[in-house]
Amino acid sequence: MPESLSSIASSKDTTKLNYRITTETQESKTSTFNEKPPPKAKKILGFIDIESQRSTESIPLSEKDASWVEGEGKLQQGLKSRHIQLIALGGAIGTGLFVGTSSTLATCGPAGLFISYIIISSAIYPIMNAFGEMVCYLPGNGNDSAGSAAHLISKYVDSSLGFAAAWNYYYCYIILVAAECTAASGVVEYWTTAVPKGVWILIFLSIIMVLNVCPVKYYGESEFWFASIKILCIVGLIIMSFILFWGGGPDHDRVGFRYWQHPGAFTNHIMPGGFGKFLDIYTGIIKGGFAFVLGPELVSMTSSECEDQRRNIAKAARRFVWRLMFFYVLGTLAISVLVAYNDPVLENALAQGKPGAGSSPFVIGIQNFGIHGLPHVINACILTSAWSAGNAFMFASTRSLLTMAKNGQAPKIMGRINRFGVPYVALALSGGLACLAFLNASSSTADVFNWFANISTIAGFIGWICACIAYIRFRKAIIFNGLLDRLPYRGVLMPYLVYYSLFIISLITITNGYAIFIPRNWRASDFIAAYINLPIFLVLWWGHKIWTRSFFKRWWKRVDEIDVITGLEETEERARELDETRVYPTTLWGKFLDALL
């Protein structure tokens, strides 16, 4: 046996070792697989399933990769099916839906809000399917985060584009952590202003750090309960809106679509007429982007740390469309029948920048119908929503930086993992950078932070554009190698729908600041916030090309150069083992939970 393999095996009782090592941690013995080597087989490193405490998968690693993890821990597969499904559910519900919709309603009107969210939901669904296909095919192992969007871009398109996308994503994650901590501190001010905002930011950021320094199963558990609260809240609000729609309120006033007629379905905030209505919808799409940004990435990022990877990621991707339809489409429809776009309370809340429930269209509508007490409950739900989102984005930032370090796109020290499966150096850096949230503790620096936050939305759009391109190249490589029938998950009407998403997101990215060019709206700071990301991204992309001396070479990998084979045999074997040993529920309640989670 080669020395490199014998040093990895934890048992001396090895028999018939052929390209694969499996370690039994509980019984301290070695199981044997007698099979043909996979194409272009590399040396194999045993991988331990943390959940079952037994060997479950073989991991192909090159010599370079093996040395990279030598002496270090590995990411643990501590996320269960219910964790993944609730992370996916919770990722679709945030402060953008609870609070951010108030600004869109006031600017675009009820029809502009509702239609714009339908359109952007239709563009996000193919992106989720694209991530689902790529990640389910090769979900990664405990030494990296193969679900990282930047990793997929580097693998299927070009390393320089992946480098630019990686730092673009990382910036976006960090700013969103800070933004959510700031939002959470503002929500508390709905109840009291006795405690300085900076203290609340410190408290929320500290708890997020504690949750992320623990093994990943604790992150999954916290997100499970956070998401459960958000889901119960939004479902309750939608049901209440339905009751009020039909006159079930205290005064039995049947509201119907009254506010669509008076003051109207559109605001015509740019100009009157049919084109003005179109611009209402288009502005709604741009404003609504913040509510959706980075949702699909949060699901795919968990691929290396969840059990039964192919099955759970596929379930999350397949159900994503129903979550979008239920939470966002029905949620915005509920808002549109509860509050008029020119409601005095709504206009006053936006003008004063009231925090949390103070500017939530759900709360304003409920109060208008004479229902009291609920605003405090909803404010508590908004608080957990902001807290949960900050926790998720911190998790994503550390895994993103970890993968960047592995791929040589960040300092190697950022790839260190402790024995609990936590990339602790990456977490320390991310936590330090998230302290940008303290800019909001002072009114003199709050505008600077808001400027950073506005830029992060466009950074997310740029990431989606790159991810769509990566998926297109991935599909071409799959077809070139004749592996289409081995895709474990295939989205509806894919890959055709991803071209639609690529067009919509690209158009939004290029024209997101269109209103600035109207003379009465011109502000240099708004122009910079709308478009500064594009030159920064190009500098990162082209700069890496120049640094690697590949600027005048091919800017994308040829289809025959894209590796979609390495690791496939091991992944499929692991999936077969799980399918053979899986125990399906037999009771009605068990089947319901399995369908739900």
Side-chain angles (χ1 to χ4, degrees):
M1 181 191 305
E3 291 183 3
S4 60
L5 287 176
S6 61
S7 65
I8 295 172
S10 62
S11 173
K12 298 179 181 179
D13 240 348
T14 307
T15 61
K16 295 183 181 181
L17 178 62
N18 190 8
Y19 294 94
R20 185 179 181 118
I21 292 178
T22 304
T23 307
E24 292 285 341
T25 60
Q26 290 181 341
E27 301 178 12
S28 300
K29 66 180 183 179
T30 302
S31 300
T32 304
F33 290 87
N34 193 7
E35 61 185 29
K36 294 182 180 180
K40 302 180 182 179
K42 299 182 180 180
K43 294 181 179 180
I44 304 298
L45 175 67
F47 181 66
I48 297 175
D49 184 335
I50 302 301
E51 285 292 320
S52 62
Q53 290 296 310
R54 65 183 179 84
S55 172
T56 59
E57 189 171 9
S58 300
I59 307 300
L61 287 179
S62 65
E63 292 286 351
K64 179 180 178 181
D65 290 335
S67 65
W68 180 78
V69 296
E70 185 177 357
E72 297 290 339
K74 303 171 188 174
L75 296 176
Q76 299 179 358
Q77 289 186 318
L79 297 177
K80 300 181 180 180
S81 175
R82 63 186 179 89
H83 295 150
I84 300 301
Q85 302 309 314
L86 267 294
I87 288 172
L89 277 167
I93 309 170
T95 53
L97 177 60
F98 285 117
V99 181
T101 45
S102 59
S103 175
T104 308
L105 175 65
T107 304
C108 309
L113 169 69
F114 179 60
I115 297 173
S116 65
Y117 270 64
I118 290 177
I119 293 173
I120 197 168
S121 294
S122 70
I124 302 306
Y125 174 59
I127 295 174
M128 183 69 253
N129 275 329
F131 277 113
E133 286 192 22
M134 290 188 288
V135 173
C136 286
Y137 183 74
L138 291 173
N141 55 63
N143 301 307
D144 60 16
S145 186
S148 166
H151 174 77
L152 298 171
I153 294 164
S154 295
K155 183 173 183 177
Y156 298 125
V157 186
D158 175 66
S159 60
S160 294
L161 184 64
F163 173 84
W167 285 104
N168 176 75
Y169 267 115
Y170 185 69
Y171 163 81
C172 197
Y173 290 134
I174 291 299
I175 291 297
L176 288 174
V177 171
E180 295 297 345
C181 286
T182 301
S185 67
V187 169
V188 177
E189 290 185 343
Y190 178 80
W191 290 306
T192 179
T193 57
V195 180
K197 179 178 285 189
V199 174
W200 290 118
I201 292 175
L202 177 62
I203 292 172
F204 294 133
L205 187 56
S206 298
I207 295 175
I208 287 173
M209 289 293 291
V210 169
L211 289 173
N212 277 272
V213 82
C214 295
V216 70
K217 63 181 180 181
Y218 295 107
Y219 161 76
E221 202 65 32
S222 65
E223 282 300 293
F224 175 84
W225 292 109
F226 279 143
S228 298
I229 293 172
K230 290 192 288 186
I231 291 167
L232 291 174
C233 181
I234 190 64
V235 170
L237 289 172
I238 291 173
I239 293 173
M240 177 171 289
S241 301
F242 180 78
I243 294 172
L244 294 175
F245 179 91
W246 294 104
D251 56 0
H252 302 290
D253 179 22
R254 182 173 176 177
V255 61
F257 286 99
R258 177 188 304 165
Y259 299 128
W260 286 59
Q261 299 172 347
H262 305 288
F266 296 93
T267 62
N268 296 308
H269 72 291
I270 299 291
M271 63 176 63
F275 191 65
K277 293 180 175 61
F278 168 78
L279 292 179
D280 283 346
I281 296 171
Y282 196 71
T283 300
I285 294 173
I286 296 171
K287 282 180 168 290
F290 180 78
F292 294 85
V293 71
L294 300 183
E297 288 88 339
L298 292 178
V299 180
S300 66
M301 188 71 76
T302 63
S303 65
S304 290
E305 297 176 78
C306 71
E307 61 181 24
D308 206 349
Q309 298 159 299
R310 282 189 159 186
R311 180 173 182 264
N312 288 329
I313 298 297
K315 283 172 65 177
R318 190 176 295 114
R319 297 170 180 177
F320 195 75
V321 64
W322 307 114
R323 293 162 186 152
L324 288 173
M325 290 175 60
F326 186 83
F327 296 126
Y328 278 106
V329 176
L330 288 184
T332 52
L333 180 62
I335 291 170
S336 71
V337 301
L338 286 178
V339 188
Y341 70 75
N342 64 348
D343 186 286
V345 179
L346 176 65
E347 292 180 340
N348 183 59
L350 292 173
Q352 296 182 10
K354 289 186 177 181
S359 59
S360 171
F362 286 110
V363 172
I364 294 171
I366 289 171
Q367 288 177 331
N368 289 345
F369 280 93
I371 302 174
H372 304 287
L374 275 181
H376 295 287
V377 176
I378 297 173
N379 199 60
C381 293
I382 295 172
L383 176 61
T384 61
S385 177
W387 203 342
S388 168
N391 189 36
F393 289 132
M394 179 63 80
F395 172 85
S397 72
T398 59
R399 271 53 180 182
S400 177
L401 192 55
L402 165 70
T403 305
M404 288 160 62
K406 179 191 178 300
N407 292 340
Q409 298 168 339
K412 186 177 179 181
I413 192 174
M414 297 299 164
R416 292 190 176 181
I417 307 172
N418 64 20
R419 62 191 179 93
F420 300 109
V422 178
Y424 58 97
V425 180
L427 177 61
L429 178 62
S430 297
L433 293 175
C435 289
L436 284 169
F438 288 103
L439 287 172
N440 284 285
S442 169
S443 58
S444 61
T445 54
D447 289 340
V448 177
F449 180 80
N450 290 334
W451 193 68
F452 283 138
N454 290 336
I455 294 174
S456 67
T457 303
I458 306 305
F461 289 162
I462 293 174
W464 283 342
I465 292 171
C466 295
C468 287
I469 295 172
Y471 172 75
I472 292 169
R473 300 301 295 169
F474 163 77
R475 261 305 188 106
K476 288 184 180 296
I478 290 293
I479 294 172
F480 176 83
N481 287 278
L483 299 173
L484 192 60
D485 60 334
R486 293 173 72 173
L487 281 178
Y489 169 71
R490 293 172 66 176
V492 178
L493 296 179
M494 297 292 280
Y496 310 107
L497 282 182
V498 84
Y499 288 97
Y500 161 75
S501 296
L502 180 60
F503 171 76
I504 293 293
I505 302 301
S506 299
L507 184 64
I508 295 172
T509 303
I510 295 171
T511 62
N512 78 94
Y514 81 93
I516 301 169
F517 297 100
I518 299 173
R520 69 175 185 270
N521 297 333
W522 172 259
R523 287 180 60 189
S525 59
D526 291 342
F527 173 80
I528 294 173
Y531 291 107
I532 189 64
N533 256 68
L534 294 176
I536 291 176
F537 184 84
L538 292 177
V539 166
L540 289 171
W541 182 16
W542 296 348
H544 190 269
K545 277 287 183 185
I546 294 171
W547 179 261
T548 56
R549 300 179 181 179
S550 58
F551 192 85
F552 297 104
K553 298 180 182 179
R554 184 180 293 273
W555 284 53
W556 58 86
K557 294 181 180 180
R558 297 197 310 267
V559 174
D560 60 325
E561 294 176 337
I562 299 175
D563 183 9
V564 291
I565 296 176
T566 302
L568 179 59
E569 292 286 342
E570 292 80 15
T571 299
E572 291 180 333
E573 176 62 25
R574 168 61 180 152
R576 283 193 292 269
E577 291 174 3
L578 289 171
D579 288 339
E580 291 171 358
T581 58
R582 183 175 293 111
V583 178
Y584 292 95
T586 55
T587 64
L588 186 61
W589 176 248
K591 291 179 180 179
F592 170 75
L593 288 180
D594 183 66
L596 182 65
L597 303 175

